[in-house]
Structure formats: structure tokens, C-alpha cells
Amino acid sequence: QVALVESGGGLVQAGGSLRLSCAASGRASLDYAMGWFRQVPGKERKFVAGITRNGAFTGYTDSAKGRFTISRDDADNAVYLQMDSLKPEDTATYYCAARNHFYYSPREDEYDYWGQGTQITVSS
């Protein structure tokens, strides 16, 4: 069992930055590929970024490329999402997820554990 807790959300102006953290705990808590997803009310949860189990490979949705950076620190059992040049359309609840696999996936149904989410609001 792995527990994930996100933090770092909040209100920011367009063009600003935020860094989300996902703290993992539990058995072999970071022996997983990790992903960040986001969801707006009334819509499905969508993939934002992912990182492989060893941190060697990362991937991003097109809208996040060049602005967001996913990283992991196994010593701290944490995964991060650095978000720069934020836009109002980035407003959503952001979730981190763990997948018992080497590779991350853009599909939410392929993840085994989820955090409770953290809200980000980007004002124009």
C-alpha cells in the first residue's frame, strides 16, 4: 500500500510559477513510475507529466512541454512538478499517481494509487 499526499497548490497570477510536491509513504513507496494528472469540474482527469521508476525518462502532455518539469527525489520519497509560465487554462485540481511499473502511462486507469489532489487557480 502506498499513500500519496500532494501539496503546493494555490492561487497564482498568469505567468507565475508553482511547485507541487507529492510525498509518498508505505512499502517500497517509490518503487513506482509516477504521474501527474489534472482535472477540472465536469471533465475527465487528464495526464500532465510522468516519470519512470528510475527517473531516467519523462514525458509531458503537449500543453505542458517547455513549461512544466517533473522530477523525483527517492531519498525524500517525493515527486515534484515545477510549473512555470502558468496560464489560466492550467487551473485545475492536480493529482499525483503511482504505477507499479517501470514506465509511466498517460492513462489514469493504469495507475494503482492516487493522492487526494491539490487545487491550482491561475488568474488572468
Side-chain angles (χ1 to χ4, degrees), residues 46-115:
K46 293 186 176 180
F47 175 79
V48 176
I51 189 166
T52 53
R53 181 180 292 171
N54 66 354
F57 303 99
T58 59
Y60 302 88
T61 191
D62 285 346
S63 63
K65 288 178 182 176
R67 299 189 301 126
F68 294 3
T69 303
I70 187 172
S71 61
R72 64 190 299 159
D73 185 339
D74 290 354
D76 287 341
N77 271 3
V79 177
Y80 306 99
L81 185 67
Q82 176 67 39
M83 302 184 294
D84 299 318
S85 302
L86 282 161
K87 304 175 181 180
E89 50 264 43
D90 294 318
T91 295
T93 300
Y94 283 70
Y95 299 87
C96 75
R99 183 183 190 218
N100 190 7
H101 197 281
F102 178 82
Y103 287 104
Y104 57 86
S105 169
R107 294 181 51 171
E108 65 169 311
D109 62 353
E110 293 188 348
Y111 286 80
D112 301 285
Y113 302 100
W114 290 86

Side-chain angles (χ1 to χ4, degrees), residues 10-49:
L11 174 64
V12 63
Q13 289 189 330
S17 298
L18 281 175
R19 188 191 194 209
L20 301 184
S21 298
C22 175
S25 61
R27 181 179 179 184
S29 55
L30 276 194
D31 194 22
Y32 293 81
M34 301 295 293
W36 284 97
F37 288 74
R38 63 187 179 189
Q39 187 174 29
V40 297
K43 295 193 175 181
E44 62 184 14
R45 198 151 45 184
K46 293 186 176 180
F47 175 79
V48 176

